[in-house]
Amino acid sequence: MARFELHSAELGTMGASAQADILFEMGMMYAAGRDCDVDVVAAHKWFNIAAIKGSERAATLRGELAAGMSKTELASALRAARDWMTTH
């Protein structure tokens, strides 16, 4: 299973562009179901974080994904992104 393990120490030494790219790929993994089940909440979470880090592609896909999500799913994804950002 291909997974990116993200640790705060590693993120601190990477360029913002590289961070955003890795976070974007996490979103793609969950959106497409690469080596995992499709999970729109997780995909939105990672696209949201990547967009915050500067990925325009992630911002676009986040919006497209959000259009098909329920309010509950969207709230869960936003909460998960906020939780991740406060701990990393």
Side-chain angles (χ1 to χ4, degrees):
M1 176 183 293
R3 285 202 108 133
F4 295 100
E5 295 295 329
L6 303 175
H7 302 285
S8 58
E10 292 171 353
L11 287 175
T13 60
M14 295 173 62
S17 172
Q19 289 177 23
D21 289 345
I22 291 170
L23 296 164
F24 175 81
E25 287 301 323
M26 290 290 291
M28 288 301 296
M29 181 181 79
Y30 285 104
R34 285 192 220 145
D35 298 321
C36 64
D37 292 333
V38 171
D39 184 339
V40 294
V41 172
H44 188 282
K45 167 190 163 181
W46 292 114
F47 286 146
N48 193 24
I49 297 167
I52 290 167
K53 299 286 185 180
S55 172
E56 292 180 25
R57 295 182 305 164
T60 299
L61 290 177
R62 174 189 62 191
E64 292 175 9
L65 199 57
M69 295 171 69
S70 70
K71 289 181 182 182
T72 303
E73 289 173 324
L74 189 54
S76 179
L78 293 171
R79 187 172 31 260
R82 183 179 59 245
D83 290 347
W84 191 90
M85 290 294 291
T86 59
T87 59
H88 293 90

